[in-house]
Amino acid sequence: MSVLLLQLAGPLQSWGAASRFPRRSTESAPTKSGVLGLLAAAQGRPRTADLSDLAALRFGVRVDQPGTRVRDFHTAHHQASGKAMPVTERFYLADAVFLAAVEGERALIERLHAAVRAPHFLPFLGRRACPPARRLDLGIRHDTGLEGALLKHPWLASAWYRKQTTRTAPDQLPVLLDSTPDDPPGDVVADQPLSFDPRHRRYARRSVRHDAVPRPVEVPEHDPMPLLESD
């Protein structure tokens, strides 16, 4: 098995698992369906494409910088009639940074890695209005599993966040993982994508295990696209 690591960082992110019109919520961490949608788009898959190979990947995410939940209101008009549509209430995570990982067969992971490096469709962090502010690609790990990859990678938090939380930053970082058959029952969420077809989106349930890993002391030496630093 191999693991593909992704850096999910931007001014705004939104990862809905149970959003309903007119209220569009966000989870506190990236969802499996959202990250697999990003990978499918990077490969150029149509929304009607088979997702069984992607859905079989094991998914995990580490919360390196939790961000702040913010609320916005969205107005729109119907394209044909010009009639005003109902106002929607939308939630986002501001200034959050996550380390996401998918584990699977080496050949598939390498194809996904190539797609992330040269995406067919531009990636976004849950919604089209949320572009990434740093590079997504953090490479492949062939020498460790999902848990090991999330444990060992350097801390991705922004410099301003590390500076502000020098004394208050937790010693451990939250981790959310796809449960294995040997794990005790976890949280059940309807976040296993079966189809992204806009005419009939379908999601199955998956079990999520909550854990934590020691906060790495090491940080990346270089960040070619850092978030804006605060004073």
Side-chain angles (χ1 to χ4, degrees), residues 113-147:
H113 183 223
V116 169
R117 291 174 63 87
H120 185 90
F121 296 113
L122 292 177
F124 50 87
L125 306 179
R127 293 196 186 128
R128 291 188 183 90
C130 302
R134 300 181 187 174
R135 63 187 178 94
L136 293 172
D137 169 39
L138 292 179
I140 299 176
R141 304 293 181 268
H142 295 300
D143 57 345
T144 186
L146 188 68
E147 288 87 351

Side-chain angles (χ1 to χ4, degrees), residues 21-126:
F21 193 90
R23 182 183 174 88
R24 309 291 179 86
S25 64
T26 180
E27 300 297 314
S28 59
T31 58
K32 184 174 185 178
S33 58
V35 173
L36 294 188
L38 182 155
L39 294 173
Q43 286 191 308
R45 298 193 190 197
R47 289 184 175 270
T48 55
D50 177 39
L51 299 175
S52 57
D53 58 338
L54 297 183
L57 295 170
R58 188 159 176 251
F59 173 70
V61 60
R62 191 181 78 188
V63 182
D64 282 26
Q65 184 174 317
T68 304
R69 191 180 299 267
V70 297
R71 179 174 63 174
D72 189 25
F73 294 95
H74 182 83
T75 60
H77 288 76
H78 193 279
Q79 184 176 4
S81 66
K83 182 179 179 180
M85 305 293 287
V87 175
T88 60
E89 185 180 21
R90 305 192 179 200
F91 292 83
Y92 300 86
L93 298 175
D95 294 330
V97 181
F98 303 99
L99 172 65
V102 289
E103 178 189 68
E105 295 294 337
R106 180 169 185 152
L108 175 57
I109 292 298
E110 289 181 343
R111 291 197 298 272
L112 293 174
H113 183 223
V116 169
R117 291 174 63 87
H120 185 90
F121 296 113
L122 292 177
F124 50 87
L125 306 179

